[in-house]
Amino acid sequence: MPDPFAGHSDWAPDPPRPVVPTPATMGGQLRGRRVLIGLPGHGWRADLRADEKVVQGSRTYVPVMPEAEWYRAEAEQTEVFAPLVPVERVWVEELGMAGFGAAKKPSDVMSRLVSLDDPPRRNPTAALDADTLTGRRVVQLLEDGGERRDLRAVTELHTSDAGDICARVATELDWYRWAWSGKAPRTLEVPVHLLWLE
């Protein structure tokens, strides 16, 4: 079947939605949500998952654990230790508006500066423009315009048997299972034009 976009070099799919941190104090369900923790002016920690809020006395806390432990607990139906973090130090990773915020390589350091008051939003970066892919969170754009998230790149860019530039990805569950069990993940080869760093 001929490629309907052949000869249209200006065509490219819209980038995926950016990740926009939102204070956990804003409400909503937290169980299984990807979160960041930190303190304004000091820094942020990512690759964490939350459980539902807990109230102790007059304070509200969020049980937070590393993603690897969350995936293992869910897969093996076991309990894991989750430190309680004050709710005002937790931000939930929400998805922003589609079509806005594709990363462009900053031309100078001044354009990369951020405020330390909140965790910065993360704009998607085309896999083709990334320095490295292996182990990074990626988004696969689907043919119907949708997005497939919770993926990790397991290779760098390479040429497929068909001659396409692509990378192999795995679900995050398989990615983390690889670490705790040694079982290699099932992977999918994704063409580079449909792959973005989250």
Side-chain angles (χ1 to χ4, degrees):
M1 174 172 270
D3 181 357
F5 301 106
H8 299 280
S9 61
D10 58 338
W11 180 86
D14 287 335
R17 295 169 289 171
V19 174
V20 181
T22 305
T25 55
M26 302 288 279
Q29 300 291 317
L30 292 180
R31 178 161 173 63
R33 301 288 306 274
R34 187 175 267 139
V35 296
L36 299 119
I37 62 171
L39 190 60
H42 292 289
W44 317 105
R45 177 147 188 236
D47 290 331
L48 302 167
R49 295 282 178 150
D51 207 339
E52 289 306 329
K53 296 174 188 167
V54 174
V55 177
Q56 291 184 350
S58 61
R59 302 275 324 251
T60 302
Y61 298 92
V62 178
V64 174
M65 66 200 80
E67 270 192 332
E69 291 182 29
W70 183 81
Y71 276 109
R72 189 171 189 175
E74 290 294 306
E76 297 181 353
Q77 295 297 298
T78 60
E79 296 284 327
V80 297
F81 173 74
L84 298 177
V85 178
V87 69
E88 63 273 7
R89 294 186 182 184
V90 179
W91 282 260
V92 181
E93 291 190 10
E94 302 282 355
L95 297 177
M97 298 286 293
F100 293 96
K104 294 178 177 71
K105 290 277 188 183
S107 58
D108 60 74
V109 73
M110 295 304 286
S111 63
R112 293 181 17 215
L113 298 180
V114 298
S115 167
L116 294 181
D117 294 337
D118 299 304
R121 69 184 275 142
R122 275 200 329 274
N123 294 321
T125 302
L128 194 58
D129 296 333
D131 294 334
T132 63
L133 291 179
T134 304
R136 310 254 322 254
R137 289 166 43 177
V138 294
V139 180
Q140 176 189 1
L141 297 179
L142 303 174
E143 299 294 335
D144 65 3
E147 302 170 358
R148 186 170 175 223
R149 292 186 179 257
D150 293 335
L151 301 171
R152 295 279 178 157
V154 296
T155 68
E156 297 298 322
L157 294 178
H158 60 273
T159 305
S160 70
D161 292 340
D164 298 322
I165 298 174
C166 55
R168 288 199 160 276
V169 301
T171 65
E172 281 196 331
L173 173 59
D174 282 349
W175 169 259
Y176 286 115
R177 183 179 284 133
W178 193 9
W180 83 69
S181 74
K183 180 182 176 191
R186 288 179 300 159
T187 62
L188 173 67
E189 208 162 49
V190 179
V192 69
H193 71 280
L194 297 177
L195 199 60
W196 291 72
L197 292 182
E198 189 172 47

